[in-house]
Amino acid sequence: MLIGYARVSTDDQTLNPQIDALKSAGCEKIFTDVASGAKTERPGLKQALEFCRSDDILIVWKLDRMGRSMSHLIKTIQMLEQKQTGFQSLTEKIDTTTAGGRLIFHVFGALAEFERELIRERVKAGLKSARSRGRKGGRPSLSKQTKNMIATLACNKDLSVKQICEKLNIGKSTFYKYAKITDDFI
């Protein structure tokens, strides 16, 4: 069975072009979502994945409609492979039911893994370089003078928390962390 999945990010967008393309491809059942690609919770995709059986093919109009990221997309395709379900992307012409489609998809997976490794190596090198210059990483801590200034200004009834934060170039959470505030201040 050919199963379609369509997604748009906002209510302002329409699913119609995707649904039309999926119907033209022969999809008998179509699941949809109106949700940002970054959202983890997408009930339509979950239903589509649960609906898929052996020898079914899940079809999307475009790869970015299915995966939040390349790693998410790869995990989803691997899960479909375990269920012996195929995957097709109409726009990119990827079809994991063919040897060539599987090859292309695995090349994508290898490139994504390579990119993750490069990022990991750059982060490690950056941390090592910073440590060699005496940096420990993380946010710089406030000086004792700034901490004392926060406590002093917190007692000043003429300044709001916002004004104090702007004056010291700190965030509200930092202010509340170091301010010795009494109930009459708030």
Side-chain angles (χ1 to χ4, degrees):
M1 174 182 246
L2 300 179
I3 300 159
Y5 173 70
R7 179 186 62 80
V8 291
S9 300
T10 66
D11 289 324
D12 298 343
Q13 298 170 324
T14 179
L15 288 161
N16 293 339
Q18 292 179 55
I19 291 172
D20 291 344
L22 294 170
K23 284 181 180 176
S24 292
C27 291
E28 299 169 49
K29 182 103 171 128
I30 298 174
F31 296 88
T32 63
D33 276 320
V34 177
S36 166
K39 285 193 174 184
T40 308
E41 189 61 35
R42 292 190 275 165
L45 178 59
K46 183 179 178 189
Q47 290 172 345
L49 296 172
E50 289 171 354
F51 187 82
C52 289
R53 302 288 176 250
S54 178
D55 296 326
D56 286 346
I57 299 174
L58 180 63
I59 302 176
V60 295
W61 174 66
K62 198 171 179 184
L63 277 177
D64 69 352
R65 301 295 88 200
M66 176 116 130
R68 295 189 318 271
S69 64
M70 187 55 119
S71 62
H72 176 256
L73 186 60
I74 289 167
K75 286 177 188 172
T76 305
I77 301 303
Q78 287 172 339
M79 186 196 63
L80 288 171
E81 284 178 351
Q82 289 173 352
K83 294 175 87 169
Q84 297 178 338
T85 300
F87 171 77
Q88 290 180 0
S89 172
L90 300 176
T91 304
E92 291 85 4
K93 302 202 182 339
I94 293 175
D95 182 352
T96 64
T97 64
T98 68
R102 283 189 299 278
L103 172 67
I104 294 295
F105 198 79
H106 287 292
V107 168
F108 281 172
L111 289 172
E113 188 175 329
F114 177 68
E115 180 183 19
R116 280 192 303 273
E117 285 297 318
L118 285 178
I119 291 168
R120 202 173 293 133
E121 286 175 12
R122 284 194 296 262
V123 168
K124 283 181 181 179
L127 289 172
K128 183 179 179 181
S129 174
R131 276 189 224 106
S132 72
R133 291 189 313 277
R135 293 266 333 229
K136 293 181 182 172
R139 293 184 181 159
S141 61
L142 294 179
S143 68
K144 189 170 186 167
Q145 180 184 4
T146 304
K147 291 176 188 176
N148 289 336
M149 183 70 78
I150 291 170
T152 303
L153 290 174
C155 297
N156 184 341
K157 304 236 189 268
D158 296 330
L159 293 174
S160 69
V161 172
K162 182 178 179 183
Q163 290 170 320
I164 294 170
C165 292
E166 287 172 357
K167 182 178 183 98
L168 298 176
N169 196 25
I170 60 170
K172 285 184 180 181
S173 60
T174 302
F175 170 81
Y176 287 114
K177 180 178 179 180
Y178 293 105
K180 309 285 188 272
I181 300 175
T182 61
D183 289 336
D184 59 327
F185 176 79
I186 302 170

